[in-house]
Amino acid sequence: MVKKLATGELDVAICVTEGLVAGINSNKDASLRLFGTYVDTPLPWAVSVATDAKFCSLDDLGFGAKFGISRPGSGSEVMARYAASQYEWATPQFAVLGDINQLVAGTQEHKVDAFLWERTTMQRHYTAESVRYLGTVKPPWPAFSYGATEQFIRRNPELLRDLVARIGQVAERFMERREEGLRFVCDSLGYAAEDAVVWAGYVGFSLDGAVNEAKVRAVARALQRAAVIGDCALEDIVLRPGQA
């Protein structure tokens, strides 16, 4: 989605926050910016390995593990680099495998040692014993944020404020009608009912879309330590609709 924002295929996208910040830094000519928050709670990234893997804990990945990723610059890569910096792992190696099914297959076939993906999405694969859960990496920042080009944000402040407000209203209704909302999640995404309940327990939507500057700075600092991005000032990342 970040690439499509940069090429003009999309006007607005809701992206994994760390992926958006990394994309803003790596597509400087496109002048991408983060302009709002969609999911204010952190996204838990599950670390998965083959069922017969020798790894028993996250610390066991610290000696040069090879990680599967969906594509270069994706959340699966960014979070693997973040985890390596947080846990002081050796510099990880990467193999581009594709979507979640290809990542699972690549791990089963020992093309890679591990991969990271959203925790609840992985539960069906753990239940089927396709791969084994090793642990969770949970960064201290909002899971999903809104992104657009600086030009689009400056030209459409009212449109974007209205968009965020309307999405916030829908999210509020979703939370008020929890049972109905969870049925929709199960029917649309194929989650088991108990998995949807777990998911709803850790997801918190931002109803006003406000940007927490301290948390954005935390993302940038963490990605800098992980060598995902270079130096990046806050004003090069965040631009609110209507901001001068």
Side-chain angles (χ1 to χ4, degrees):
M1 284 191 289
V2 170
K3 187 177 292 184
K4 289 185 176 183
L5 284 175
T7 60
E9 293 179 67
L10 294 175
D11 294 323
V12 176
I14 297 175
C15 306
V16 173
T17 300
E18 56 270 19
L20 178 58
V21 173
I24 288 170
N25 189 255
S26 61
N27 293 274
K28 291 183 178 178
D29 291 344
S31 295
L32 304 178
R33 296 291 184 268
L34 184 158
F35 70 85
T37 303
Y38 175 52
V39 173
D40 195 43
T41 48
L43 185 68
W45 290 80
V47 182
S48 302
V49 297
T51 54
D52 62 349
K54 60 185 177 181
F55 308 109
C56 297
S57 70
L58 293 179
D59 288 339
D60 294 336
L61 295 173
F63 304 98
K66 188 174 186 179
F67 287 84
I69 61 174
S70 58
R71 62 191 179 281
S74 66
S76 54
E77 179 187 358
V78 171
M79 286 308 301
R81 292 187 183 277
Y82 167 76
S85 69
Q86 288 294 105
Y87 291 99
E88 299 183 347
W89 296 340
T91 302
Q93 306 170 60
F94 296 103
V96 179
L97 298 182
D99 64 19
I100 182 61
N101 295 319
Q102 292 167 313
L103 287 166
V104 169
T107 306
Q108 292 172 326
E109 296 162 9
H110 298 287
K111 293 178 181 178
V112 296
D113 296 311
F115 68 91
L116 282 78
W117 207 263
E118 195 277 329
R119 177 64 180 86
T120 299
T121 306
M122 285 304 305
Q123 186 56 50
R124 69 190 70 177
H125 300 285
Y126 300 143
T127 300
E129 298 185 352
S130 303
V131 287
R132 176 163 54 86
Y133 171 73
L134 192 66
T136 295
V137 176
K138 193 173 182 180
W141 53 70
F144 292 95
S145 298
Y146 298 96
T149 63
E150 179 180 356
Q151 182 182 49
F152 190 85
I153 296 169
R154 291 194 184 282
R155 286 183 175 179
N156 301 279
E158 292 301 326
L159 174 66
L160 294 179
R161 281 196 287 259
D162 184 60
L163 172 68
V164 171
R166 288 175 181 270
I167 292 175
Q169 290 166 5
V170 173
E172 187 171 26
R173 285 200 298 272
F174 176 87
M175 291 186 289
E176 289 173 349
R177 304 173 184 175
R178 179 186 171 97
E179 186 175 333
E180 179 183 338
L182 291 182
R183 280 201 304 271
F184 173 80
V185 169
C186 294
D187 293 343
S188 302
L189 302 177
Y191 283 1
E194 58 270 25
D195 295 340
V197 170
V198 172
W199 169 82
Y202 64 73
V203 171
F205 296 96
S206 174
L207 302 184
D208 61 5
V211 176
N212 185 314
E213 292 187 358
K215 291 182 179 180
V216 175
R217 286 193 180 95
V219 180
R221 285 195 300 268
L223 298 187
Q224 286 165 0
R225 286 196 302 271
V228 174
I229 66 173
D231 291 337
C232 198
L234 184 68
E235 56 266 28
D236 295 328
I237 301 174
V238 175
L239 179 64
R240 297 177 183 80
Q243 183 177 338

